[in-house]
């Protein structure tokens, strides 16, 4: 759930002079300085011939000439290429490894987003001999352990039970992509899992990860990596120093200011978001080192460059009919319909299911569903087998589905950050896209203020013919009746609440926002 109100907080000094990403131009991969030839081939195999401005800017400040002398904070619109902006330089820097150990950790708030980021790393890391692991809780803990830790001669089950063999275990991955909860599981329980050699920490979707406690994962990671790294200067408890090689080979993090003349193994951090927080109390948790802010122009929020915005005025009681009329106009184009909560998502998708033979296939995507069902739905949507996805805001953060042409705000977002992340599902990577927001009369003024905060004042009125809406009314009444019968047949208290909420237009579940 978003903060209930955006508070004005003092801007940190380093945020007042950001590096403007718009000053950088796209650059051909063949012209990127210092790029490892094997990575150049991997990018071309992915069909990438040039890098976007945010990727060029990040490369300049990491591989050269910045050489990771500062922590990076990237505030860039969704779809601008942030994932490759940190994945490429990290893989480049780790390509000269002396031995396999966990040296880069990427933390994301959801399983689906973590799996998506791992795919990007998987496309380039094997080219230079690096292995990437995933820890999100989608599989059993024992299966994850077998992927993350080199299998010893004894039984894997004993990894949880004894301490006698800890020094024999080694990491099976160089880079780990994880969600906070499962990361903490491995830190607390998995023998051989260590952050001792950690060089790079990426916090993607930073504002969300800092807003929610997630079992205090951040202070734990910082404490373990910092305390272990200081011990690494003299001796590693798990590996003989002779196997570590020179410190310069393992860690190319530069010299920490305040430690002149000493090679101090600083943990390099990269934090990223399309709506990066400016709250000093939240950013202080990261313990940033001389941070450099990369942002798009002089505005905090920025909409995708090729986004077209529309507003559709509708009557409250007939809102689903306006939605269906709009979807019929859009035909078979891929569209994501956003609602205000998981309950609203379930309610709307169920109603549409009972609406008869619609010329498009609709599916639900929300936190009420099991992970396997969400993954199956998302796969079908990616392939085009599903044209319309009705979603809660679980879908808004960083998810990249190719070919999404339309985003529809069935429920107007309450906060500008939510709007930014929703519209970012379309008009990605330089492509065009459209956003439609369904509005009731009393919401018009508030929506105008929200657009002003987002820096997008242009919003064209989109109209659907009154005859189209009127013709759907008999089907609507039939769908409502079928929904009522379905609820009564189940006889569940939750089902009755859903139907009552649908009929009255009022939200009955006070905790719904907390589960978005």
């Amino acid at each position: 759930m978003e903060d209930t109100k955006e508070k004005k907080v003092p801007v940190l000094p380093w945020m007042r002079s950001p590096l403007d990403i718009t000053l950088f131009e796209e650059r051909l991969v063949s012209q990127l300085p210092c790029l490892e030839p094997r990575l150049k081939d991997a990018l071309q195999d992915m069909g990438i011939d040039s890098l976007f401005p945010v990727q060029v800017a990040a490369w300049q400040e990491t591989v050269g000439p910045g050489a990771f002398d500062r922590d990076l904070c990237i505030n860039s619109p969704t779809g601008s290429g942030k994932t490759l902006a940190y994945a490429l330089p990290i893989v480049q820097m780790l390509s000269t490894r002396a031995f396999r150990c966990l040296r880069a950790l990427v933390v994301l708030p959801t399983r689906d987003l973590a799996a998506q980021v791992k795919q990007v790393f998987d496309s380039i890391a094997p080219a230079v001999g690096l292995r990437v692991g995933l820890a999100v809780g989608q599989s059993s803990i024992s299966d994850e352990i077998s992927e993350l830790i080199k299998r010893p001669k004894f039984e894997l089950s004993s990894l949880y039970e004894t301490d006698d063999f800890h020094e024999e275990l080694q990491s099976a991955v160089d880079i780990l992509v994880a969600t906070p909860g499962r990361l903490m599981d491995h830190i607390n329980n998995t023998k051989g899992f260590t952050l001792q050699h950690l060089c790079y920490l990426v916090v993607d979707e930073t504002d969300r990860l800092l807003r929610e406690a997630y079992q205090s994962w951040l202070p734990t990671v910082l404490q373990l990596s910092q305390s272990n790294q200081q011990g690494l200067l003299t001796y590693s408890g798990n590996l003989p120093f002779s196997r570590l090689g020179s410190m310069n080979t393992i860690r190319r993090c530069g010299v920490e200011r305040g430690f002149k003349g000493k090679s101090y193994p600083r943990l390099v951090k990269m934090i990223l978001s399309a709506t990066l927080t400016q709250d000093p109390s939240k950013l202080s948790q990261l313990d940033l080192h001389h941070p450099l802010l990369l942002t798009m122009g002089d505005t905090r929020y920025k909409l995708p460059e090729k986004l077209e915005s529309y507003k559709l005025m509708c009557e409250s009681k007939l809102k689903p009919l306006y939605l269906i009329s709009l979807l019929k106009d859009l035909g078979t184009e891929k569209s994501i319909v956003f609602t205000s909560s998981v309950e609203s998502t379930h309610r709307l998708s169920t109603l549409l299911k009972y609406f008869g033979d619609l010329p498009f296939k609709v599916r639900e995507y929300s936190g009420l569903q099991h992970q396997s069902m969400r993954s199956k739905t998302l796969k079908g949507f990616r392939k085009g087998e599903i044209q319309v996805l009705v979603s809660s805001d679980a879908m808004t953060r960083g998810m990249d589905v190719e070919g999404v042409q339309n985003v529809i705000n069935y429920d107007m977002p309450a906060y500008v950050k939510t709007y930014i992340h929703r519209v970012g599902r379309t008009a990605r990577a330089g492509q065009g896209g459209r956003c439609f927001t369904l509005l009731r009369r009393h919401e018009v003024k508030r929506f105008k203020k929200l657009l002003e905060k987002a820096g997008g004042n242009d919003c064209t009125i989109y109209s659907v013919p009154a005859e189209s809406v009127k013709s759907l009314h008999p089907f609507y009444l039939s769908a409502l009746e079928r929904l009522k019968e379905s609820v009564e047949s189940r006889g569940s208290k939750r089902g009755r609440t859903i139907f009552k909420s649908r009929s009255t237009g009022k939200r009955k579940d006070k905790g719904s926002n907390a589960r978005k």
Side-chain angles (χ1 to χ4, degrees):
M1 186 174 73
E2 297 289 348
D3 297 331
T4 55
K5 214 171 193 179
E6 284 200 26
K7 299 179 181 178
K8 289 187 177 180
V9 294
V11 178
L12 291 166
W14 59 267
M15 300 190 89
R16 295 174 187 159
S17 303
L19 179 63
D20 189 349
I21 296 172
T22 62
L23 298 178
F24 293 83
E25 297 180 352
E26 286 193 32
R27 180 172 294 186
L28 292 174
V29 168
S30 59
Q31 297 177 354
L32 199 64
C34 307
L35 180 62
E36 159 72 45
R38 290 172 294 174
L39 290 179
K40 186 182 300 183
D41 294 339
L43 290 172
Q44 291 175 344
D45 290 341
M46 294 170 64
I48 298 176
D49 297 319
S50 62
L51 298 185
F52 294 134
V54 66
Q55 297 161 352
V56 175
W59 182 267
Q60 174 174 304
E61 296 301 326
T62 53
V63 176
F68 271 129
D69 194 38
R70 311 172 70 176
D71 290 338
L72 291 187
C73 305
I74 300 179
N75 186 63
S76 180
T78 56
S80 58
K82 291 190 293 294
T83 303
L84 192 61
Y86 62 77
L88 186 60
I90 286 176
V91 170
Q92 166 97 2
M93 298 295 281
L94 296 184
S95 62
T96 57
R97 73 189 192 286
F99 64 98
R100 176 155 285 140
C101 58
L102 178 55
R103 287 177 293 163
L105 173 64
V106 183
V107 184
L108 302 112
T110 66
R111 293 174 177 178
D112 290 334
L113 188 52
Q116 178 180 295
V117 168
K118 182 180 183 292
Q119 287 181 350
V120 175
F121 274 102
D122 282 339
S123 298
I124 56 177
V128 291
L130 298 178
R131 290 193 60 185
V132 186
L134 182 67
V136 296
Q138 194 165 350
S139 57
S140 68
I141 188 74
S142 59
D143 287 342
E144 282 191 357
I145 291 174
S146 66
E147 293 294 322
L148 300 181
I149 306 299
K150 285 186 179 178
R151 190 183 297 273
K153 296 178 182 178
F154 33 75
E155 290 296 325
L156 185 64
S157 60
S158 60
L159 290 175
Y160 265 107
E161 298 169 0
T162 69
D163 297 314
D164 301 337
F165 49 78
H166 182 66
E167 293 189 5
E168 297 182 41
L169 302 176
Q170 296 177 23
S171 175
V173 299
D174 305 280
I175 301 164
L176 177 64
V177 182
T179 51
R182 185 45 67 98
L183 173 63
M184 290 299 293
D185 286 343
H186 287 296
I187 288 175
N188 293 325
N189 301 310
T190 301
K191 301 302 179 183
F193 185 85
T194 177
L195 303 179
Q196 183 173 21
H197 308 102
L198 199 63
C199 300
Y200 309 115
L201 171 64
V202 178
V203 185
D204 205 339
E205 298 297 344
T206 306
D207 47 325
R208 179 171 175 182
L209 286 171
L210 293 182
R211 186 174 62 246
E212 302 176 27
Y214 287 115
Q215 303 177 35
S216 302
W217 73 271
L218 180 58
T220 301
V221 168
L222 294 181
Q223 181 181 7
L224 290 177
S225 59
Q226 290 170 1
S227 60
N228 285 338
Q229 286 162 9
Q230 292 189 33
L232 187 61
L233 282 172
T234 55
Y235 178 74
S236 167
N238 290 341
L239 294 167
F241 190 79
S242 60
R243 288 187 61 190
L244 294 177
S246 69
M247 189 62 64
N248 289 334
T249 301
I250 299 176
R251 312 183 63 85
R252 298 177 58 190
C253 299
V255 178
E256 176 84 1
R257 289 182 175 87
F259 293 85
K260 189 173 181 180
K262 299 180 181 179
S263 180
Y264 188 85
R266 181 176 68 82
L267 175 65
V268 176
K269 308 179 193 82
M270 297 181 72
I271 69 173
L272 307 96
S273 177
T275 54
L276 187 64
T277 181
Q278 294 181 344
D279 191 335
S281 63
K282 292 180 179 179
L283 291 171
S284 64
Q285 300 174 48
L286 292 157
D287 190 24
L288 297 172
H289 169 77
H290 295 279
L292 174 64
L293 174 62
L294 277 64
T295 189
M296 303 286 279
D298 55 359
T299 57
R300 182 182 178 189
Y301 303 123
K302 195 170 182 66
L303 298 172
E305 184 179 354
K306 295 184 179 180
L307 178 74
E308 299 175 13
S309 298
Y310 300 91
K311 56 186 175 183
L312 175 58
M313 303 304 303
C314 60
E315 299 176 35
S316 297
K317 293 182 179 180
L318 301 179
K319 201 174 178 182
L321 306 187
Y322 284 88
L323 172 65
I324 292 175
S325 295
L326 171 60
L327 289 172
K328 283 187 172 183
D329 285 352
L330 299 178
T332 58
E333 294 180 0
K334 278 187 186 176
S335 302
I336 303 178
V337 179
F338 284 110
T339 70
S340 60
S341 67
V342 290
E343 283 76 16
S344 296
T345 294
H346 182 66
R347 203 160 53 230
L348 180 60
S349 59
T350 303
L351 183 67
L352 294 177
K353 183 178 70 173
Y354 290 136
F355 225 90
D357 295 328
L358 295 173
F360 42 80
K361 196 168 185 178
V362 183
R363 286 293 183 271
E364 174 184 354
Y365 182 91
S366 77
L368 288 178
Q369 299 173 305
H370 191 273
Q371 176 65 34
S372 60
M373 176 60 71
R374 292 211 309 270
S375 298
K376 182 180 179 181
T377 299
L378 194 59
K379 184 178 180 180
F381 188 57
R382 291 185 193 277
K383 290 183 175 180
E385 298 167 356
I386 299 168
Q387 290 80 45
V388 179
L389 214 59
V390 182
S391 174
S392 65
D393 286 314
M395 185 76 176
T396 61
R397 293 279 182 160
M399 292 301 295
D400 184 11
V401 178
E402 186 177 351
V404 174
Q405 291 133 309
N406 308 292
V407 163
I408 301 172
N409 292 313
Y410 181 77
D411 293 323
M412 191 193 85
Y415 311 101
V416 63
K417 286 186 177 182
T418 306
Y419 184 77
I420 293 290
H421 286 288
R422 284 185 181 182
V423 301
R425 297 316 99 217
T426 188
R428 298 175 67 84
Q431 300 299 310
R434 293 171 293 190
C435 173
F436 301 85
T437 302
L438 276 62
L439 295 174
R440 294 166 290 184
R441 292 191 182 280
H442 69 275
E443 295 175 321
V444 174
K445 188 177 291 185
R446 190 154 54 93
F447 182 64
K448 183 180 179 182
K449 290 182 179 179
L450 184 146
L451 279 183
E452 290 173 351
K453 289 182 181 178
N457 295 321
D458 296 331
C459 190
T460 306
I461 294 178
Y462 186 91
S463 299
V464 296
E467 296 78 13
S468 175
V469 174
K470 187 176 180 180
S471 66
L472 293 169
H473 198 261
F475 300 98
Y476 182 40
L477 295 177
S478 175
L480 283 175
E481 188 62 31
R482 291 185 64 187
L483 179 60
K484 181 180 179 181
E485 292 172 359
S486 174
V487 170
E488 289 177 346
S489 66
R490 289 200 306 267
S492 67
K493 183 178 179 181
R494 180 179 184 83
R496 289 195 297 273
T497 301
I498 289 174
F499 177 74
K500 188 175 181 181
S501 184
R502 170 67 264 172
S503 301
T504 61
K506 296 179 181 178
R507 181 182 296 157
K508 295 297 180 183
D509 188 346
K510 293 181 180 179
S512 62
N513 281 337
R515 295 190 296 277
K516 284 183 182 178

